[in-house]
């Protein structure tokens, strides 16, 4: 069904914006991981890094939208490319199946670390498979689609499609191939992309459910222990008291991590539901509904930005609790602004006459000078306290004590007694 001119413009223009947002989000996650030597050593961050690199690449090709489609193509706004540019765009969009597969790998990581208590050393043995499987599948299907001439104009962008668009293919035309390119493309869309996509969503959902049940069971056991009069006592032995405190800390940490996993799953699901419903309706009823197509054009390229919001959520919560006078947007603006100032601030080295406390004040001044005096004093106090504890990362001290557990890496606490900050 041909769209009106204004509908074509909306379908073409929206991916430019959402694709750019996704590139920014994925780029900031990449920056966060690569700038920290500790982050680069952790399986969790390396999975995030691989997912964000793949998403950054795919978001760029979504950002191009209809531009690579061969010039002169009808029912498309602003096609400016050739068949070669269209094939290149289709190749890398198909390669983007690696991103949802990495989402599933991340959900599986949460399951292993929370429910089954896998430590970092054990996770590193499984890491090679978690990293390799998405890349192998994405590369293999992209090359297969290239060799089978499946990569053609698909209206929103170039991907697995047929030329001409309305041809049936040999399976639906009594064995007669009426397509110039992309014979039986509808099968390969599901085999190469949507089948693995929803397998990844199913795996992520099951992993999330098992993780939640594990945390809920721990919460129930903890509540039962607290309500039992037999055990209402104050442990006098310091070792026993520390053990109880550690168990409580681990329980809170698991609950926070399970919440983080849930939000990653929601970002994943939110990005791909319109696209899947659109393709399912096209395959079964041979119909296309413009509202669904528009939602697909808006949200499919947007996953990198949503992932970034989830990634920064613990820090945002910490800022909001420490500064309740800040609005939601203000707290996020402070985090976003800090992305471009923290590296410079943490590279400042004190001279012979400069104390660690002074260096903390320098960092505080950079970040808070333009805000209220009350916020400035509060931030300086936090940084000065943190600077006395660490001479390496002054910026970490802006996180209040009550939220440090939110920024711990998703790994076993006993193996890494020194507190890590994934951001």
């Amino acid at each position: 069904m041909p769209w009106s001119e204004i509908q074509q413009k909306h379908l073409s223009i929206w991916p430019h914006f959402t694709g750019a947002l996704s590139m920014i989000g994925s780029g900031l996650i990449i920056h966060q991981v690569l700038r920290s030597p500790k982050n680069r050593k952790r399986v969790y961050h390396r999975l995030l890094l691989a997912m964000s690199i793949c998403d950054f690449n795919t978001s760029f090709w979504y950002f191009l939208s209809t531009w690579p489609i061969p010039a002169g193509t009808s029912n498309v706004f602003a096609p400016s490319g050739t068949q070669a540019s269209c094939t290149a765009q289709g190749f890398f969009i198909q390669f983007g199946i690696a991103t949802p597969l990495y989402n599933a790998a991340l959900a599986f990581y949460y399951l292993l670390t929370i429910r089954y208590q896998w430590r970092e050393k054990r996770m590193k043995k499984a890491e090679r498979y978690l990293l390799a499987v998405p890349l192998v599948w994405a590369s293999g299907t992209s090359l297969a689609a290239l060799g089978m001439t499946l990569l053609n104009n698909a209206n929103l962008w170039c991907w697995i499609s047929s030329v001409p668009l309305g041809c049936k293919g040999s399976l639906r035309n009594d064995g007669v191939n009426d397509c110039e390119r992309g014979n039986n493309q509808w099968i390969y869309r599901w085999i190469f992309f949507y089948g693995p996509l929803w397998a990844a969503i199913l795996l992520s959902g099951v992993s999330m459910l098992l993780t939640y049940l594990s945390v809920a069971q721990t919460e129930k056991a903890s509540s039962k222990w607290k309500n039992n009069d037999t055990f209402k006592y104050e442990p006098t032995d310091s070792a026993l008291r520390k053990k109880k405190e550690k168990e409580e800390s681990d329980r809170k940490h698991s609950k926070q991590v399970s919440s983080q996993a849930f939000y990653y799953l929601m970002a994943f699901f939110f990005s791909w539901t319109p696209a899947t419903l659109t393709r399912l309706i096209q395959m079964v009823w041979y119909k296309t509904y413009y509202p669904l197509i528009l939602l697909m054009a808006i949200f499919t390229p947007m996953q990198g930005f949503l992932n970034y919001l989830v990634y920064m959520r613990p820090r945002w919560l910490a800022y909001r609790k420490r500064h309740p006078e800040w609005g939601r947007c203000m707290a996020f603006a402070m985090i976003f602004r800090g992305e471009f100032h923290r590296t410079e601030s943490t590279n400042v080295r004190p001279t012979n006459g400069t104390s660690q406390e002074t260096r903390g004040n320098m960092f505080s001044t950079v970040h808070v000078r333009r805000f209220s005096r009350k916020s400035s004093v509060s931030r300086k106090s936090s940084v000065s306290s943190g600077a006395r504890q660490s001479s390496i990362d002054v910026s970490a001290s802006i996180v209040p004590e009550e939220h440090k557990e939110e920024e711990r890496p998703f790994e076993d606490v006993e193996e890494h007694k020194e507190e890590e900050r994934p951001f």
Side-chain angles (χ1 to χ4, degrees):
M1 166 180 183
W3 309 118
S4 66
E5 184 177 353
I6 188 66
Q7 288 175 328
Q8 293 176 26
K9 288 182 178 180
H10 280 293
L11 294 177
S12 175
I13 292 173
W14 272 107
H16 295 313
F17 292 101
T18 56
L21 281 176
S22 187
M23 289 171 64
I24 293 172
S26 295
L28 289 173
I29 294 177
I30 293 169
H31 169 68
Q32 284 278 343
V33 176
L34 290 181
R35 77 177 183 178
S36 170
K38 291 182 180 180
N39 286 351
R40 294 196 298 267
K41 294 178 181 179
R42 308 301 180 205
V43 176
Y44 165 73
H45 288 95
R46 286 199 290 262
L47 286 174
L48 271 178
L49 178 64
M51 182 175 70
S52 299
I53 290 174
C54 290
D55 187 81
F56 183 91
N57 171 70
T58 308
S59 298
F60 169 75
W61 293 98
Y62 281 134
F63 164 78
L64 295 180
S65 187
T66 57
W67 292 341
I69 295 176
T73 301
S74 60
N75 201 31
V76 175
F77 177 74
S80 308
T82 62
Q83 183 58 50
S85 63
C86 187
T87 300
Q89 184 187 39
F91 180 90
F92 287 107
I93 286 181
Q94 172 56 34
F95 188 84
I97 186 61
T99 302
L101 295 180
Y102 277 126
N103 265 107
L106 192 62
F108 193 57
Y109 171 88
Y110 281 119
L111 175 66
L112 294 177
T113 53
I114 297 176
R115 183 181 180 90
Y116 298 105
Q117 297 296 306
W118 280 35
R119 300 191 178 195
E120 184 75 3
K121 289 182 180 179
R122 192 176 182 186
M123 280 303 308
K124 286 182 178 180
K125 296 179 180 179
E127 180 186 11
R128 67 187 73 178
Y129 303 105
L130 296 177
L131 289 174
V133 170
L135 289 180
V136 170
W137 182 262
S139 302
T141 54
S142 298
L143 291 171
L146 178 64
M148 299 168 69
T149 64
L150 295 172
L151 304 174
N152 306 292
N153 166 38
N155 274 331
L156 294 180
W157 39 69
C158 293
W159 183 52
I160 297 176
S161 186
S162 60
V163 177
L165 282 173
C167 67
K168 297 180 180 179
S170 58
L171 289 179
R172 290 177 170 174
N173 198 33
D174 298 326
V176 178
N177 179 18
D178 59 339
C179 300
E180 298 175 15
R181 293 170 58 92
N183 182 34
N184 299 320
Q185 49 81 22
W186 59 276
I187 295 178
Y188 297 106
R189 282 184 171 184
W190 286 93
I191 294 176
F192 288 176
F193 198 94
Y194 284 106
L197 170 67
W198 277 92
I201 291 177
L202 180 62
L203 176 61
S204 300
V206 171
S207 298
M208 183 64 232
L209 177 61
L210 293 175
T211 302
Y212 170 79
L213 291 176
S214 176
V215 173
Q217 185 177 9
T218 303
E219 287 281 324
K220 184 177 180 180
S222 176
S223 176
K224 183 178 180 180
W225 179 84
K226 288 180 179 179
N227 294 330
N228 193 334
D229 292 336
T230 306
F231 295 96
K232 285 185 177 179
Y233 65 92
E234 287 293 331
T236 56
D237 184 74
S238 60
L240 180 59
R241 184 170 59 254
K242 289 180 180 179
K243 181 180 179 181
K244 296 299 181 184
E245 290 174 352
K246 180 184 177 302
E247 289 175 353
E248 182 68 12
S249 176
D250 290 350
R251 182 185 63 80
K252 291 181 180 180
H253 181 54
S254 297
K255 186 176 180 180
Q256 292 159 1
V257 173
S258 65
S259 298
Q260 191 77 348
F262 172 78
Y263 284 108
Y264 274 121
L265 179 63
M266 288 299 99
F268 183 21
F269 190 83
F270 194 70
S271 298
W272 289 106
T273 297
T276 305
L277 290 177
T278 297
R279 301 307 183 192
L280 187 63
I281 291 171
Q282 287 176 341
M283 184 182 72
V284 177
W285 291 286
Y286 305 101
K287 293 181 179 180
T288 302
Y289 297 101
Y290 179 77
L292 268 181
I293 289 285
L294 181 61
L295 290 175
M296 175 181 171
I298 294 173
F299 292 113
T300 299
M302 205 173 183
Q303 187 177 356
F305 180 70
L306 297 178
N307 285 340
Y308 175 73
L309 294 181
V310 176
Y311 182 73
M312 300 306 294
R313 174 178 165 272
R315 186 184 296 178
W316 182 82
L317 291 174
Y319 272 55
R320 286 279 293 157
K321 186 168 184 178
R322 181 165 182 81
H323 298 283
E325 71 276 10
W326 291 358
R328 292 180 175 86
C329 294
M330 176 66 169
F332 184 78
M334 285 294 293
I335 294 173
F336 190 78
R337 187 168 181 264
E339 297 293 331
F340 303 99
H341 290 276
R342 180 177 293 188
T343 302
E344 179 181 354
S345 301
T346 54
N347 286 336
V348 176
R349 293 290 181 266
T351 61
N352 294 334
T354 305
S355 66
Q356 292 291 336
E357 196 168 38
T358 303
R359 183 171 62 161
N361 289 330
M362 291 168 59
F363 174 79
S364 176
T365 303
V366 170
H367 282 274
V368 195
R369 180 178 298 167
R370 296 182 182 181
F371 296 94
S372 67
R373 182 177 299 275
K374 180 179 179 180
S375 297
S376 178
V377 172
S378 176
R379 179 68 60 83
K380 287 180 181 180
S381 175
S382 174
V383 174
S384 299
S385 175
R388 288 191 293 268
Q389 299 174 7
S390 171
S391 61
I392 299 176
D393 186 5
V394 178
S395 64
S397 62
I398 63 174
V399 181
E401 287 292 330
E402 60 269 28
H403 285 280
K404 285 185 178 180
E405 64 268 24
E406 292 181 351
E407 294 200 325
R408 297 191 311 187
F410 308 121
E411 57 195 23
D412 188 86
V413 179
E414 288 184 351
E415 183 181 356
H416 299 281
K417 293 182 179 179
E418 181 180 357
E419 186 177 71
E420 296 287 337
R421 297 178 174 85
F423 307 122

